[in-house]
Amino acid sequence: MLSIDVYTCYAVAGAGSLVGLGLLAMVRTEQARVSYALGLFRWALLCLSALLCVQLSPLSLRPEVTKGAIGFAGMGVALLAWAFRQLNGRRTHPGVGLVVVLLVGMSLWVGAALGTDAQYVQTIGIVFGLVSVGMALDQGLITVQNGKFTGGDLSLLVAACEFALNWLVLLYWAFTQPGPYPSHWLHTPDWLMPITGLSFALLPLAVSSVVFASVNDRLMQQLRARSLSDDLTGALSRRGLRELGERMVALQSAQASILAVLMIDIDLFKDVNDRYGHATGDDVLRHVTNTVRDHLREDALLARYGGEEFSVLLPVRSRLEAQSIAERVREIVELSPFETRTGEIRVTVSIGIAYHREDTTLEDDLARADACLYQAKHTGRNRVVSGD
């Protein structure tokens, strides 16, 4: 049977976390959502780097130092779960995420300080089991909902499932097999120890590599999109919409899924230009573009259709989902005024929705969405109207 030194695995994990931290520190992106996710990944790796302290501590203090490091490692894994959600466009409220991360750390530290050895080992199993299973289920749900089974997504899903299964076995072992307990506190069957140790050792570098590749892929897509983008807002131009939109229409037809087409118009935008000037009007256009983009999924296409009018192509599972997303976009624009030196400029948008049909072209879909937009504008503005 393969023998493995768990303390060495802790050291490799800690050192790998610092290497990964340096790697991700070099990554820059203009996308607020991805940048936020990168920040979470960096904090996660910083927490996991505490495992390096175990190998550096005196032998007499090593069991207690290990307890402290495991608490930080738990916080690191929770931060990884949060970061992957953010990277995949599934937002977690910062307050909720922070509370979960702190609860993970505090549970492990309180269990170490106040519980017996058996209770502490059980606490480790419960905390890491819950976090890892939650991460695996979330990643699986994201993969299924996206409908895109790329090699990277499947590799990440397999790794998350392996990690979760590993901790479920440890959880079972903690409650069914009493001590003695090892000083590194990973109480597991002998046959599973090499897998558990290597999981800890390779986790930080594996995550860093996946994130680095994923963000780089997004950046390459972003560079290509810029060649088809509107200079003022950074959204796609009409040319970009036609080129990428036709591909999306073909893809969604092949997958037999629903493609929602949204037309978005800034209400009373002429008044903004007349009152504040065209330079401020341009700033408002950029502000609305960024607000809308930050609240769409990665697979959506956002284009400036002309003037203050935008179009969005959005793959969805149902019409109800499209209407919900459109309503969320409308609401967030209304609640996100543009800040100027002289005060706030509040703007609203009207949105029309059409759905692609096999017997229509993209231009037909845009025309039908525009008709719904016209209806929204003439029934009070600041509302969403959905067509057939």
Side-chain angles (χ1 to χ4, degrees):
M1 183 178 296
L2 177 64
S3 178
I4 193 167
D5 180 47
V6 175
Y7 287 118
T8 301
C9 291
Y10 285 162
V12 171
S17 298
L18 294 178
V19 172
L21 192 60
L23 186 67
L24 295 187
M26 297 185 294
V27 179
R28 295 289 184 270
T29 177
E30 296 176 0
Q31 292 182 299
R33 181 167 60 218
V34 178
S35 180
Y36 185 54
L38 283 172
L40 293 174
F41 280 118
R42 291 168 187 143
W43 278 108
L45 292 172
L46 186 62
C47 288
L48 288 169
S49 68
L51 290 169
L52 185 59
C53 298
V54 175
Q55 188 74 354
L56 300 177
S57 63
L59 289 176
S60 59
L61 298 177
R62 188 163 290 179
E64 299 306 314
V65 173
T66 302
K67 290 180 178 179
I70 287 176
F72 280 110
M75 293 173 66
V77 174
L79 281 164
L80 288 179
W82 182 5
F84 275 117
R85 282 180 60 85
Q86 181 71 22
L87 189 63
N88 286 294
R90 294 170 65 87
R91 294 172 183 79
T92 299
H93 189 281
V96 174
L98 185 60
V99 167
V100 170
V101 171
L102 291 177
L103 278 176
V104 167
M106 291 302 298
S107 298
L108 292 167
W109 288 325
V110 170
L114 303 181
T116 63
D117 287 352
Q119 290 170 337
Y120 177 54
V121 168
Q122 291 166 0
T123 301
I124 293 175
I126 292 172
V127 171
F128 278 92
L130 287 175
V131 174
S132 59
V133 168
M135 185 161 47
L137 291 175
D138 197 50
Q139 185 62 36
L141 186 61
I142 290 170
T143 303
V144 171
Q145 287 181 345
N146 287 345
K148 300 175 182 178
F149 298 94
T150 64
D153 289 336
L154 289 176
S155 297
L156 189 59
L157 178 58
V158 169
C161 290
E162 183 277 328
F163 194 68
L165 184 60
N166 188 5
W167 280 103
L168 287 177
V169 174
L170 264 73
L171 178 60
Y172 170 79
W173 200 257
F175 278 91
T176 60
Q177 300 295 324
Y181 302 103
S183 58
H184 51 67
W185 301 111
L186 290 185
H187 184 54
T188 183
D190 291 339
W191 60 267
L192 188 60
M193 183 59 74
I195 298 176
T196 304
L198 288 174
S199 295
F200 255 110
L202 300 178
L203 177 66
L205 277 179
V207 166
S208 302
S209 300
V210 169
V211 173
F212 189 80
S214 177
V215 173
N216 271 345
D217 182 59
R218 282 174 166 80
L219 291 177
M220 291 299 294
Q221 294 177 11
Q222 188 179 32
L223 286 174
R224 185 178 182 283
R226 281 185 175 179
S227 67
L228 302 171
S229 65
D230 172 64
D231 291 337
L232 177 63
T233 62
L236 288 173
S237 61
R238 291 185 70 164
R239 172 176 173 269
L241 177 66
R242 284 194 299 271
E243 181 174 328
L244 300 183
E246 292 294 348
R247 297 180 188 177
M248 179 175 283
V249 167
L251 179 63
Q252 297 306 312
S253 297
Q255 294 180 343
S257 56
I258 299 174
L259 180 65
V261 180
L262 282 61
M263 293 295 287
I264 304 173
D265 187 81
I266 302 177
D267 297 324
L268 302 174
F269 183 70
K270 184 178 182 298
D271 293 350
V272 175
N273 277 334
D274 292 343
R275 181 175 180 182
Y276 299 99
H278 288 278
T280 299
D282 289 347
D283 290 337
V284 170
L285 283 172
R286 282 187 284 264
H287 168 71
V288 171
T289 302
N290 292 333
T291 302
V292 172
R293 181 188 291 118
D294 287 343
H295 289 82
L296 293 173
R297 296 200 310 262
E298 291 287 335
D299 56 353
L301 293 181
L302 170 64
R304 186 183 178 198
Y305 200 69
E308 68 274 17
E309 195 170 11
F310 299 84
S311 56
V312 175
L313 301 189
L314 182 66
V316 292
R317 292 164 296 167
S318 67
R319 297 189 175 195
L320 183 62
E321 181 185 7
Q323 293 166 20
S324 175
I325 293 173
E327 187 61 37
R328 184 180 68 195
V329 167
R330 182 205 62 77
E331 183 179 3
I332 199 65
V333 170
E334 183 181 15
L335 297 176
S336 305
F338 177 65
E339 302 285 348
T340 70
R341 293 180 180 179
T342 57
E344 296 180 343
I345 299 177
R346 294 189 172 274
V347 294
T348 60
V349 294
S350 299
I351 303 177
I353 311 176
Y355 304 94
H356 177 69
R357 300 195 300 252
E358 290 186 2
D359 60 341
T360 63
T361 65
L362 178 58
E363 292 299 326
D364 295 333
D365 300 331
L366 290 167
R368 288 188 293 110
D370 198 47
C372 292
L373 172 62
Y374 180 86
Q375 184 180 348
K377 301 285 284 186
H378 287 78
T379 53
R381 301 187 182 91
N382 191 25
R383 62 188 59 204
V384 175
V385 173
S386 179
D388 297 336

